[in-house]
Amino acid sequence: MTSAAAASRFRRPTWAGRNYSLLTAAAIVTNLGSQGALIASAFAVLQSGGDGGDVGLVAAARTVPLVLFLLVGGALADRIPRHRVMVAANTLNFLSQGAFALLVLNGTPALWQMMALSALGGVGQAFFSPASEGMLMSSVQGEQAGRAFALYRMAMQGAGIGGAALGGALIAAVGPGWVLAVDAAAFAVAGALRAFIDVSDVPARAPGGGILADLRDGWQEFIGRPWLWAIVAQFSLVNAVVVAADAVYGPLVARDHLGGPGPWGLALAAFGAGTVGGALVMMRWKPRRLLFVGTLCVFPLALPSAALAVPAPVGVLVAVMFVTGVSIEVFGVSWMTAMHQEIPEEKLSRVSAYDWLGSLAMVPLATALAGPAESAFGRTSALWGCAVVIVVLTAAVLLVPDVRNLVRRTTPVASGMPSDAAADSADAERPVGGLG
């Protein structure tokens, strides 16, 4: 193979511009570090003499400020250049995670110290997540947007799988403190990469009436689109019961019926592999009715709860988790593509913040109620209840006409142009029938 042919083979595709490439590289770096750090923080609490309840407190300390500051983070990211918000958030995460690592490496940290540093990490994520989604969506255009989102998500999921495996090995070899230090370094590297993002072609933000006015504007954008608020409302409960089943009931079923943590870890790994497979599918597939196809792919999320309720053999559970990973990734790419084409660029972060808030707000309550629900109804009934909630809510969302009928377009909605008007302008190009 000649050098010219080799260069042509490995040339970056035209739709993967400089900003997109920097965002993807930074996401890989942070996911490699953060997935291991999630495991390391739990072991750090246990190593310092804490119990399962203390692990939950440290996790909750991160979730509460994340939920509280999401909307402010979204509004801020639509007022100033998004990459600055991302770099500032990465800096905060670098400092908080670095301090956490030093405390663990130098002795036995107090529970309140770990909770405080975890809370700072949650604040950083609250400002980072809406800015990141808005920045990613504004970095790609045209008919290749779905492929770009699929590749980005595949890179993130792959890095997450590798990071969890590497983090577990490093915790066993050198202890949780060093894994937390690696995560802090990853935030520093990712922040440096994001600092080089070029926003010179992003239109200047018009002066607004303040954060509250921006939040009201974002709310009007959100509530004025039935497909948007219906699916966010659906996932506020779907995410909650999925997390309750996976985080609370899954390990218990594995302990009592499947042979311990090993089979459950294998099932979770199969889910991760499925998400990578789903992203690969979406690199090629461009379903015409985005949200209809995506919502159909939410139904399989009920399968893991049903398999745990039976309980199914390990092989069946692994297969179910893989299929679920594939299907939810099809939904995820379809959802990002719909957001990209329908939401005006200058409002992407605010709308994303409402999406994040709806998706996360009920999770702490669901995990807190999982234990009492098991005591009141039994584990099997609780798991079947999780499956039924997913199926019923997903079927209900399909009753929303916009969910069934929103179609893929090649250009995002223009600023100030309602999505239904933009859809009307594309009517002449719509093929009749079919999903592809």
Side-chain angles (χ1 to χ4, degrees), residues 321-359:
M321 293 293 277
F322 179 83
V323 170
T324 303
V326 172
S327 63
I328 197 59
E329 199 63 18
V330 172
F331 169 81
V333 174
S334 299
W335 177 249
M336 290 188 72
T337 305
M339 291 269 285
H340 171 261
Q341 76 171 31
E342 297 298 322
I343 307 299
E345 189 278 332
E346 72 276 8
K347 299 179 181 179
L348 278 169
S349 290
R350 275 170 286 176
V351 173
S352 175
Y354 282 107
D355 177 18
W356 273 89
L357 181 63
S359 299

PDB file of all heavy atoms in Angstrom, residues 321-359:
ATOM      1  N   MET A 321     -29.187  -8.512  28.290  1.00  0.00           N
ATOM      2  CA  MET A 321     -28.489  -7.254  28.540  1.00  0.00           C
ATOM      3  C   MET A 321     -27.821  -6.736  27.271  1.00  0.00           C
ATOM      4  O   MET A 321     -27.787  -5.521  27.013  1.00  0.00           O
ATOM      5  CB  MET A 321     -27.462  -7.445  29.649  1.00  0.00           C
ATOM      6  CG  MET A 321     -28.072  -7.732  31.015  1.00  0.00           C
ATOM      7  SD  MET A 321     -28.992  -6.337  31.714  1.00  0.00           S
ATOM      8  CE  MET A 321     -27.653  -5.383  32.438  1.00  0.00           C
ATOM      9  N   PHE A 322     -27.295  -7.639  26.451  1.00  0.00           N
ATOM     10  CA  PHE A 322     -26.678  -7.207  25.196  1.00  0.00           C
ATOM     11  C   PHE A 322     -27.718  -6.585  24.269  1.00  0.00           C
ATOM     12  O   PHE A 322     -27.498  -5.504  23.703  1.00  0.00           O
ATOM     13  CB  PHE A 322     -25.996  -8.394  24.507  1.00  0.00           C
ATOM     14  CG  PHE A 322     -25.352  -8.033  23.193  1.00  0.00           C
ATOM     15  CD1 PHE A 322     -24.088  -7.466  23.155  1.00  0.00           C
ATOM     16  CD2 PHE A 322     -26.018  -8.248  21.999  1.00  0.00           C
ATOM     17  CE1 PHE A 322     -23.503  -7.108  21.950  1.00  0.00           C
ATOM     18  CE2 PHE A 322     -25.443  -7.899  20.783  1.00  0.00           C
ATOM     19  CZ  PHE A 322     -24.170  -7.331  20.763  1.00  0.00           C
ATOM     20  N   VAL A 323     -28.866  -7.248  24.108  1.00  0.00           N
ATOM     21  CA  VAL A 323     -29.930  -6.724  23.253  1.00  0.00           C
ATOM     22  C   VAL A 323     -30.414  -5.375  23.772  1.00  0.00           C
ATOM     23  O   VAL A 323     -30.676  -4.438  22.991  1.00  0.00           O
ATOM     24  CB  VAL A 323     -31.090  -7.728  23.174  1.00  0.00           C
ATOM     25  CG1 VAL A 323     -32.312  -7.112  22.498  1.00  0.00           C
ATOM     26  CG2 VAL A 323     -30.652  -8.980  22.424  1.00  0.00           C
ATOM     27  N   THR A 324     -30.523  -5.257  25.088  1.00  0.00           N
ATOM     28  CA  THR A 324     -30.955  -3.992  25.676  1.00  0.00           C
ATOM     29  C   THR A 324     -29.959  -2.882  25.383  1.00  0.00           C
ATOM     30  O   THR A 324     -30.342  -1.744  25.077  1.00  0.00           O
ATOM     31  CB  THR A 324     -31.131  -4.154  27.197  1.00  0.00           C
ATOM     32  OG1 THR A 324     -32.066  -5.206  27.450  1.00  0.00           O
ATOM     33  CG2 THR A 324     -31.645  -2.873  27.824  1.00  0.00           C
ATOM     34  N   GLY A 325     -28.670  -3.187  25.463  1.00  0.00           N
ATOM     35  CA  GLY A 325     -27.651  -2.189  25.149  1.00  0.00           C
ATOM     36  C   GLY A 325     -27.744  -1.721  23.712  1.00  0.00           C
ATOM     37  O   GLY A 325     -27.635  -0.513  23.431  1.00  0.00           O
ATOM     38  N   VAL A 326     -27.950  -2.654  22.781  1.00  0.00           N
ATOM     39  CA  VAL A 326     -28.096  -2.282  21.375  1.00  0.00           C
ATOM     40  C   VAL A 326     -29.298  -1.362  21.189  1.00  0.00           C
ATOM     41  O   VAL A 326     -29.214  -0.298  20.553  1.00  0.00           O
ATOM     42  CB  VAL A 326     -28.244  -3.538  20.490  1.00  0.00           C
ATOM     43  CG1 VAL A 326     -28.588  -3.146  19.052  1.00  0.00           C
ATOM     44  CG2 VAL A 326     -26.964  -4.365  20.503  1.00  0.00           C
ATOM     45  N   SER A 327     -30.427  -1.741  21.753  1.00  0.00           N
ATOM     46  CA  SER A 327     -31.669  -1.006  21.523  1.00  0.00           C
ATOM     47  C   SER A 327     -31.627   0.391  22.137  1.00  0.00           C
ATOM     48  O   SER A 327     -32.073   1.362  21.517  1.00  0.00           O
ATOM     49  CB  SER A 327     -32.863  -1.792  22.070  1.00  0.00           C
ATOM     50  OG  SER A 327     -32.762  -1.960  23.470  1.00  0.00           O
ATOM     51  N   ILE A 328     -31.074   0.517  23.336  1.00  0.00           N
ATOM     52  CA  ILE A 328     -31.067   1.844  23.949  1.00  0.00           C
ATOM     53  C   ILE A 328     -30.107   2.781  23.238  1.00  0.00           C
ATOM     54  O   ILE A 328     -30.304   3.999  23.213  1.00  0.00           O
ATOM     55  CB  ILE A 328     -30.744   1.755  25.468  1.00  0.00           C
ATOM     56  CG1 ILE A 328     -31.150   3.046  26.171  1.00  0.00           C
ATOM     57  CG2 ILE A 328     -29.263   1.472  25.714  1.00  0.00           C
ATOM     58  CD1 ILE A 328     -32.620   3.404  26.045  1.00  0.00           C
ATOM     59  N   GLU A 329     -29.098   2.223  22.601  1.00  0.00           N
ATOM     60  CA  GLU A 329     -28.190   3.083  21.832  1.00  0.00           C
ATOM     61  C   GLU A 329     -28.863   3.568  20.551  1.00  0.00           C
ATOM     62  O   GLU A 329     -28.625   4.697  20.114  1.00  0.00           O
ATOM     63  CB  GLU A 329     -26.898   2.332  21.514  1.00  0.00           C
ATOM     64  CG  GLU A 329     -25.741   3.226  21.147  1.00  0.00           C
ATOM     65  CD  GLU A 329     -25.319   4.152  22.273  1.00  0.00           C
ATOM     66  OE1 GLU A 329     -25.674   3.908  23.451  1.00  0.00           O
ATOM     67  OE2 GLU A 329     -24.625   5.157  21.981  1.00  0.00           O
ATOM     68  N   VAL A 330     -29.712   2.738  19.953  1.00  0.00           N
ATOM     69  CA  VAL A 330     -30.491   3.201  18.807  1.00  0.00           C
ATOM     70  C   VAL A 330     -31.375   4.373  19.230  1.00  0.00           C
ATOM     71  O   VAL A 330     -31.475   5.385  18.523  1.00  0.00           O
ATOM     72  CB  VAL A 330     -31.345   2.054  18.229  1.00  0.00           C
ATOM     73  CG1 VAL A 330     -32.301   2.573  17.155  1.00  0.00           C
ATOM     74  CG2 VAL A 330     -30.445   0.972  17.644  1.00  0.00           C
ATOM     75  N   PHE A 331     -32.016   4.244  20.397  1.00  0.00           N
ATOM     76  CA  PHE A 331     -32.805   5.371  20.899  1.00  0.00           C
ATOM     77  C   PHE A 331     -31.919   6.594  21.138  1.00  0.00           C
ATOM     78  O   PHE A 331     -32.283   7.714  20.760  1.00  0.00           O
ATOM     79  CB  PHE A 331     -33.521   5.018  22.205  1.00  0.00           C
ATOM     80  CG  PHE A 331     -34.112   6.239  22.871  1.00  0.00           C
ATOM     81  CD1 PHE A 331     -35.330   6.740  22.450  1.00  0.00           C
ATOM     82  CD2 PHE A 331     -33.424   6.908  23.874  1.00  0.00           C
ATOM     83  CE1 PHE A 331     -35.856   7.896  23.031  1.00  0.00           C
ATOM     84  CE2 PHE A 331     -33.940   8.052  24.459  1.00  0.00           C
ATOM     85  CZ  PHE A 331     -35.169   8.553  24.030  1.00  0.00           C
ATOM     86  N   GLY A 332     -30.772   6.411  21.786  1.00  0.00           N
ATOM     87  CA  GLY A 332     -29.924   7.539  22.143  1.00  0.00           C
ATOM     88  C   GLY A 332     -29.470   8.341  20.943  1.00  0.00           C
ATOM     89  O   GLY A 332     -29.509   9.583  20.951  1.00  0.00           O
ATOM     90  N   VAL A 333     -29.044   7.663  19.879  1.00  0.00           N
ATOM     91  CA  VAL A 333     -28.600   8.370  18.678  1.00  0.00           C
ATOM     92  C   VAL A 333     -29.787   9.054  17.998  1.00  0.00           C
ATOM     93  O   VAL A 333     -29.676  10.201  17.540  1.00  0.00           O
ATOM     94  CB  VAL A 333     -27.895   7.400  17.704  1.00  0.00           C
ATOM     95  CG1 VAL A 333     -27.559   8.095  16.394  1.00  0.00           C
ATOM     96  CG2 VAL A 333     -26.620   6.851  18.344  1.00  0.00           C
ATOM     97  N   SER A 334     -30.930   8.380  17.949  1.00  0.00           N
ATOM     98  CA  SER A 334     -32.125   8.979  17.351  1.00  0.00           C
ATOM     99  C   SER A 334     -32.552  10.227  18.124  1.00  0.00           C
ATOM    100  O   SER A 334     -32.936  11.244  17.534  1.00  0.00           O
ATOM    101  CB  SER A 334     -33.271   7.961  17.329  1.00  0.00           C
ATOM    102  OG  SER A 334     -32.925   6.834  16.555  1.00  0.00           O
ATOM    103  N   TRP A 335     -32.476  10.160  19.426  1.00  0.00           N
ATOM    104  CA  TRP A 335     -32.852  11.297  20.282  1.00  0.00           C
ATOM    105  C   TRP A 335     -31.918  12.485  20.049  1.00  0.00           C
ATOM    106  O   TRP A 335     -32.380  13.620  19.875  1.00  0.00           O
ATOM    107  CB  TRP A 335     -32.816  10.861  21.739  1.00  0.00           C
ATOM    108  CG  TRP A 335     -33.109  11.934  22.738  1.00  0.00           C
ATOM    109  CD1 TRP A 335     -32.234  12.501  23.630  1.00  0.00           C
ATOM    110  CD2 TRP A 335     -34.372  12.563  22.990  1.00  0.00           C
ATOM    111  NE1 TRP A 335     -32.862  13.432  24.407  1.00  0.00           N
ATOM    112  CE2 TRP A 335     -34.184  13.496  24.031  1.00  0.00           C
ATOM    113  CE3 TRP A 335     -35.637  12.416  22.432  1.00  0.00           C
ATOM    114  CZ2 TRP A 335     -35.212  14.286  24.522  1.00  0.00           C
ATOM    115  CZ3 TRP A 335     -36.671  13.211  22.920  1.00  0.00           C
ATOM    116  CH2 TRP A 335     -36.454  14.122  23.954  1.00  0.00           C
ATOM    117  N   MET A 336     -30.625  12.249  20.019  1.00  0.00           N
ATOM    118  CA  MET A 336     -29.681  13.342  19.785  1.00  0.00           C
ATOM    119  C   MET A 336     -29.876  13.951  18.405  1.00  0.00           C
ATOM    120  O   MET A 336     -29.792  15.174  18.235  1.00  0.00           O
ATOM    121  CB  MET A 336     -28.247  12.835  19.941  1.00  0.00           C
ATOM    122  CG  MET A 336     -27.848  12.490  21.358  1.00  0.00           C
ATOM    123  SD  MET A 336     -26.082  12.119  21.516  1.00  0.00           S
ATOM    124  CE  MET A 336     -25.387  13.761  21.304  1.00  0.00           C
ATOM    125  N   THR A 337     -30.165  13.113  17.415  1.00  0.00           N
ATOM    126  CA  THR A 337     -30.380  13.617  16.072  1.00  0.00           C
ATOM    127  C   THR A 337     -31.632  14.486  16.012  1.00  0.00           C
ATOM    128  O   THR A 337     -31.645  15.543  15.365  1.00  0.00           O
ATOM    129  CB  THR A 337     -30.488  12.449  15.076  1.00  0.00           C
ATOM    130  OG1 THR A 337     -29.330  11.618  15.191  1.00  0.00           O
ATOM    131  CG2 THR A 337     -30.584  12.963  13.650  1.00  0.00           C
ATOM    132  N   ALA A 338     -32.691  14.063  16.681  1.00  0.00           N
ATOM    133  CA  ALA A 338     -33.920  14.862  16.721  1.00  0.00           C
ATOM    134  C   ALA A 338     -33.681  16.200  17.417  1.00  0.00           C
ATOM    135  O   ALA A 338     -34.136  17.252  16.936  1.00  0.00           O
ATOM    136  CB  ALA A 338     -35.031  14.079  17.429  1.00  0.00           C
ATOM    137  N   MET A 339     -32.980  16.176  18.528  1.00  0.00           N
ATOM    138  CA  MET A 339     -32.661  17.427  19.233  1.00  0.00           C
ATOM    139  C   MET A 339     -31.842  18.346  18.329  1.00  0.00           C
ATOM    140  O   MET A 339     -32.088  19.560  18.253  1.00  0.00           O
ATOM    141  CB  MET A 339     -31.881  17.108  20.509  1.00  0.00           C
ATOM    142  CG  MET A 339     -32.682  16.412  21.582  1.00  0.00           C
ATOM    143  SD  MET A 339     -33.452  17.562  22.734  1.00  0.00           S
ATOM    144  CE  MET A 339     -32.025  18.064  23.703  1.00  0.00           C
ATOM    145  N   HIS A 340     -30.860  17.784  17.649  1.00  0.00           N
ATOM    146  CA  HIS A 340     -29.970  18.566  16.800  1.00  0.00           C
ATOM    147  C   HIS A 340     -30.739  19.271  15.685  1.00  0.00           C
ATOM    148  O   HIS A 340     -30.491  20.446  15.386  1.00  0.00           O
ATOM    149  CB  HIS A 340     -28.902  17.642  16.211  1.00  0.00           C
ATOM    150  CG  HIS A 340     -28.044  18.277  15.163  1.00  0.00           C
ATOM    151  ND1 HIS A 340     -28.264  18.089  13.815  1.00  0.00           N
ATOM    152  CD2 HIS A 340     -26.969  19.092  15.264  1.00  0.00           C
ATOM    153  CE1 HIS A 340     -27.348  18.762  13.134  1.00  0.00           C
ATOM    154  NE2 HIS A 340     -26.554  19.368  13.981  1.00  0.00           N
ATOM    155  N   GLN A 341     -31.694  18.579  15.075  1.00  0.00           N
ATOM    156  CA  GLN A 341     -32.379  19.157  13.925  1.00  0.00           C
ATOM    157  C   GLN A 341     -33.557  20.046  14.321  1.00  0.00           C
ATOM    158  O   GLN A 341     -33.973  20.904  13.537  1.00  0.00           O
ATOM    159  CB  GLN A 341     -32.837  18.066  12.964  1.00  0.00           C
ATOM    160  CG  GLN A 341     -34.062  17.292  13.391  1.00  0.00           C
ATOM    161  CD  GLN A 341     -34.576  16.367  12.287  1.00  0.00           C
ATOM    162  OE1 GLN A 341     -33.805  15.863  11.480  1.00  0.00           O
ATOM    163  NE2 GLN A 341     -35.885  16.146  12.252  1.00  0.00           N
ATOM    164  N   GLU A 342     -34.089  19.900  15.533  1.00  0.00           N
ATOM    165  CA  GLU A 342     -35.305  20.621  15.894  1.00  0.00           C
ATOM    166  C   GLU A 342     -35.093  21.811  16.823  1.00  0.00           C
ATOM    167  O   GLU A 342     -35.916  22.721  16.847  1.00  0.00           O
ATOM    168  CB  GLU A 342     -36.300  19.655  16.555  1.00  0.00           C
ATOM    169  CG  GLU A 342     -36.779  18.526  15.661  1.00  0.00           C
ATOM    170  CD  GLU A 342     -37.524  19.011  14.440  1.00  0.00           C
ATOM    171  OE1 GLU A 342     -38.287  19.994  14.555  1.00  0.00           O
ATOM    172  OE2 GLU A 342     -37.330  18.430  13.362  1.00  0.00           O
ATOM    173  N   ILE A 343     -34.031  21.812  17.614  1.00  0.00           N
ATOM    174  CA  ILE A 343     -33.831  22.873  18.610  1.00  0.00           C
ATOM    175  C   ILE A 343     -32.865  23.914  18.056  1.00  0.00           C
ATOM    176  O   ILE A 343     -31.775  23.568  17.592  1.00  0.00           O
ATOM    177  CB  ILE A 343     -33.274  22.296  19.932  1.00  0.00           C
ATOM    178  CG1 ILE A 343     -34.154  21.149  20.420  1.00  0.00           C
ATOM    179  CG2 ILE A 343     -33.185  23.400  20.985  1.00  0.00           C
ATOM    180  CD1 ILE A 343     -35.582  21.530  20.705  1.00  0.00           C
ATOM    181  N   PRO A 344     -33.214  25.201  18.099  1.00  0.00           N
ATOM    182  CA  PRO A 344     -32.287  26.232  17.633  1.00  0.00           C
ATOM    183  C   PRO A 344     -30.955  26.171  18.382  1.00  0.00           C
ATOM    184  O   PRO A 344     -30.924  25.906  19.587  1.00  0.00           O
ATOM    185  CB  PRO A 344     -33.036  27.536  17.931  1.00  0.00           C
ATOM    186  CG  PRO A 344     -34.479  27.151  17.965  1.00  0.00           C
ATOM    187  CD  PRO A 344     -34.510  25.760  18.510  1.00  0.00           C
ATOM    188  N   GLU A 345     -29.866  26.442  17.672  1.00  0.00           N
ATOM    189  CA  GLU A 345     -28.527  26.285  18.240  1.00  0.00           C
ATOM    190  C   GLU A 345     -28.340  27.074  19.532  1.00  0.00           C
ATOM    191  O   GLU A 345     -27.743  26.581  20.485  1.00  0.00           O
ATOM    192  CB  GLU A 345     -27.483  26.716  17.199  1.00  0.00           C
ATOM    193  CG  GLU A 345     -26.049  26.418  17.566  1.00  0.00           C
ATOM    194  CD  GLU A 345     -25.437  27.457  18.506  1.00  0.00           C
ATOM    195  OE1 GLU A 345     -25.877  28.626  18.471  1.00  0.00           O
ATOM    196  OE2 GLU A 345     -24.510  27.101  19.260  1.00  0.00           O
ATOM    197  N   GLU A 346     -28.866  28.298  19.582  1.00  0.00           N
ATOM    198  CA  GLU A 346     -28.628  29.141  20.743  1.00  0.00           C
ATOM    199  C   GLU A 346     -29.421  28.712  21.977  1.00  0.00           C
ATOM    200  O   GLU A 346     -29.225  29.267  23.070  1.00  0.00           O
ATOM    201  CB  GLU A 346     -28.951  30.607  20.411  1.00  0.00           C
ATOM    202  CG  GLU A 346     -30.435  30.937  20.259  1.00  0.00           C
ATOM    203  CD  GLU A 346     -30.974  30.647  18.865  1.00  0.00           C
ATOM    204  OE1 GLU A 346     -30.240  30.038  18.057  1.00  0.00           O
ATOM    205  OE2 GLU A 346     -32.136  31.043  18.588  1.00  0.00           O
ATOM    206  N   LYS A 347     -30.289  27.697  21.838  1.00  0.00           N
ATOM    207  CA  LYS A 347     -31.083  27.212  22.970  1.00  0.00           C
ATOM    208  C   LYS A 347     -30.787  25.758  23.318  1.00  0.00           C
ATOM    209  O   LYS A 347     -31.433  25.190  24.186  1.00  0.00           O
ATOM    210  CB  LYS A 347     -32.573  27.384  22.671  1.00  0.00           C
ATOM    211  CG  LYS A 347     -32.995  28.835  22.447  1.00  0.00           C
ATOM    212  CD  LYS A 347     -34.472  28.960  22.120  1.00  0.00           C
ATOM    213  CE  LYS A 347     -34.854  30.419  21.868  1.00  0.00           C
ATOM    214  NZ  LYS A 347     -36.289  30.562  21.530  1.00  0.00           N
ATOM    215  N   LEU A 348     -29.807  25.169  22.657  1.00  0.00           N
ATOM    216  CA  LEU A 348     -29.537  23.750  22.835  1.00  0.00           C
ATOM    217  C   LEU A 348     -29.192  23.389  24.273  1.00  0.00           C
ATOM    218  O   LEU A 348     -29.665  22.376  24.805  1.00  0.00           O
ATOM    219  CB  LEU A 348     -28.389  23.319  21.914  1.00  0.00           C
ATOM    220  CG  LEU A 348     -28.767  23.025  20.457  1.00  0.00           C
ATOM    221  CD1 LEU A 348     -27.508  22.870  19.612  1.00  0.00           C
ATOM    222  CD2 LEU A 348     -29.626  21.778  20.370  1.00  0.00           C
ATOM    223  N   SER A 349     -28.366  24.187  24.932  1.00  0.00           N
ATOM    224  CA  SER A 349     -27.921  23.831  26.282  1.00  0.00           C
ATOM    225  C   SER A 349     -29.046  23.951  27.298  1.00  0.00           C
ATOM    226  O   SER A 349     -29.158  23.142  28.217  1.00  0.00           O
ATOM    227  CB  SER A 349     -26.723  24.692  26.700  1.00  0.00           C
ATOM    228  OG  SER A 349     -25.578  24.338  25.962  1.00  0.00           O
ATOM    229  N   ARG A 350     -29.889  24.978  27.137  1.00  0.00           N
ATOM    230  CA  ARG A 350     -31.011  25.115  28.080  1.00  0.00           C
ATOM    231  C   ARG A 350     -31.988  23.961  27.938  1.00  0.00           C
ATOM    232  O   ARG A 350     -32.433  23.377  28.930  1.00  0.00           O
ATOM    233  CB  ARG A 350     -31.736  26.448  27.831  1.00  0.00           C
ATOM    234  CG  ARG A 350     -31.113  27.632  28.540  1.00  0.00           C
ATOM    235  CD  ARG A 350     -31.715  28.927  28.061  1.00  0.00           C
ATOM    236  NE  ARG A 350     -31.242  29.267  26.720  1.00  0.00           N
ATOM    237  CZ  ARG A 350     -31.662  30.323  26.022  1.00  0.00           C
ATOM    238  NH1 ARG A 350     -32.596  31.108  26.520  1.00  0.00           N
ATOM    239  NH2 ARG A 350     -31.160  30.580  24.828  1.00  0.00           N
ATOM    240  N   VAL A 351     -32.319  23.605  26.704  1.00  0.00           N
ATOM    241  CA  VAL A 351     -33.226  22.480  26.490  1.00  0.00           C
ATOM    242  C   VAL A 351     -32.586  21.186  26.982  1.00  0.00           C
ATOM    243  O   VAL A 351     -33.232  20.340  27.600  1.00  0.00           O
ATOM    244  CB  VAL A 351     -33.609  22.387  25.007  1.00  0.00           C
ATOM    245  CG1 VAL A 351     -34.415  21.112  24.739  1.00  0.00           C
ATOM    246  CG2 VAL A 351     -34.418  23.607  24.593  1.00  0.00           C
ATOM    247  N   SER A 352     -31.287  21.029  26.732  1.00  0.00           N
ATOM    248  CA  SER A 352     -30.571  19.855  27.222  1.00  0.00           C
ATOM    249  C   SER A 352     -30.608  19.780  28.742  1.00  0.00           C
ATOM    250  O   SER A 352     -30.717  18.693  29.323  1.00  0.00           O
ATOM    251  CB  SER A 352     -29.125  19.882  26.731  1.00  0.00           C
ATOM    252  OG  SER A 352     -28.379  18.824  27.272  1.00  0.00           O
ATOM    253  N   ALA A 353     -30.538  20.936  29.411  1.00  0.00           N
ATOM    254  CA  ALA A 353     -30.578  20.951  30.872  1.00  0.00           C
ATOM    255  C   ALA A 353     -31.929  20.438  31.382  1.00  0.00           C
ATOM    256  O   ALA A 353     -31.989  19.690  32.364  1.00  0.00           O
ATOM    257  CB  ALA A 353     -30.319  22.360  31.390  1.00  0.00           C
ATOM    258  N   TYR A 354     -33.029  20.856  30.741  1.00  0.00           N
ATOM    259  CA  TYR A 354     -34.340  20.338  31.141  1.00  0.00           C
ATOM    260  C   TYR A 354     -34.423  18.835  30.885  1.00  0.00           C
ATOM    261  O   TYR A 354     -35.037  18.086  31.661  1.00  0.00           O
ATOM    262  CB  TYR A 354     -35.452  21.073  30.387  1.00  0.00           C
ATOM    263  CG  TYR A 354     -35.740  22.447  30.957  1.00  0.00           C
ATOM    264  CD1 TYR A 354     -35.355  23.604  30.284  1.00  0.00           C
ATOM    265  CD2 TYR A 354     -36.384  22.584  32.184  1.00  0.00           C
ATOM    266  CE1 TYR A 354     -35.606  24.859  30.805  1.00  0.00           C
ATOM    267  CE2 TYR A 354     -36.642  23.846  32.721  1.00  0.00           C
ATOM    268  CZ  TYR A 354     -36.252  24.979  32.020  1.00  0.00           C
ATOM    269  OH  TYR A 354     -36.496  26.222  32.551  1.00  0.00           O
ATOM    270  N   ASP A 355     -33.817  18.379  29.792  1.00  0.00           N
ATOM    271  CA  ASP A 355     -33.773  16.949  29.503  1.00  0.00           C
ATOM    272  C   ASP A 355     -33.016  16.204  30.601  1.00  0.00           C
ATOM    273  O   ASP A 355     -33.486  15.189  31.134  1.00  0.00           O
ATOM    274  CB  ASP A 355     -33.096  16.759  28.138  1.00  0.00           C
ATOM    275  CG  ASP A 355     -32.929  15.300  27.754  1.00  0.00           C
ATOM    276  OD1 ASP A 355     -33.599  14.443  28.336  1.00  0.00           O
ATOM    277  OD2 ASP A 355     -32.107  15.017  26.856  1.00  0.00           O
ATOM    278  N   TRP A 356     -31.825  16.689  30.954  1.00  0.00           N
ATOM    279  CA  TRP A 356     -31.026  16.058  32.018  1.00  0.00           C
ATOM    280  C   TRP A 356     -31.781  16.062  33.344  1.00  0.00           C
ATOM    281  O   TRP A 356     -31.774  15.067  34.076  1.00  0.00           O
ATOM    282  CB  TRP A 356     -29.702  16.798  32.175  1.00  0.00           C
ATOM    283  CG  TRP A 356     -28.621  16.328  31.265  1.00  0.00           C
ATOM    284  CD1 TRP A 356     -28.342  16.761  30.007  1.00  0.00           C
ATOM    285  CD2 TRP A 356     -27.651  15.308  31.548  1.00  0.00           C
ATOM    286  NE1 TRP A 356     -27.276  16.085  29.484  1.00  0.00           N
ATOM    287  CE2 TRP A 356     -26.824  15.194  30.401  1.00  0.00           C
ATOM    288  CE3 TRP A 356     -27.410  14.498  32.639  1.00  0.00           C
ATOM    289  CZ2 TRP A 356     -25.774  14.291  30.342  1.00  0.00           C
ATOM    290  CZ3 TRP A 356     -26.353  13.602  32.576  1.00  0.00           C
ATOM    291  CH2 TRP A 356     -25.549  13.500  31.442  1.00  0.00           C
ATOM    292  N   LEU A 357     -32.406  17.190  33.664  1.00  0.00           N
ATOM    293  CA  LEU A 357     -33.120  17.286  34.939  1.00  0.00           C
ATOM    294  C   LEU A 357     -34.238  16.259  35.008  1.00  0.00           C
ATOM    295  O   LEU A 357     -34.392  15.546  36.016  1.00  0.00           O
ATOM    296  CB  LEU A 357     -33.690  18.698  35.107  1.00  0.00           C
ATOM    297  CG  LEU A 357     -34.455  18.952  36.411  1.00  0.00           C
ATOM    298  CD1 LEU A 357     -33.545  18.809  37.620  1.00  0.00           C
ATOM    299  CD2 LEU A 357     -35.087  20.343  36.391  1.00  0.00           C
ATOM    300  N   GLY A 358     -35.032  16.167  33.934  1.00  0.00           N
ATOM    301  CA  GLY A 358     -36.108  15.190  33.925  1.00  0.00           C
ATOM    302  C   GLY A 358     -35.596  13.764  34.027  1.00  0.00           C
ATOM    303  O   GLY A 358     -36.203  12.915  34.678  1.00  0.00           O
ATOM    304  N   SER A 359     -34.455  13.504  33.391  1.00  0.00           N
ATOM    305  CA  SER A 359     -33.918  12.148  33.368  1.00  0.00           C
ATOM    306  C   SER A 359     -33.334  11.720  34.712  1.00  0.00           C
ATOM    307  O   SER A 359     -33.278  10.530  35.015  1.00  0.00           O
ATOM    308  CB  SER A 359     -32.845  12.033  32.281  1.00  0.00           C
ATOM    309  OG  SER A 359     -33.397  12.293  31.004  1.00  0.00           O
TER     310      SER A 359
END
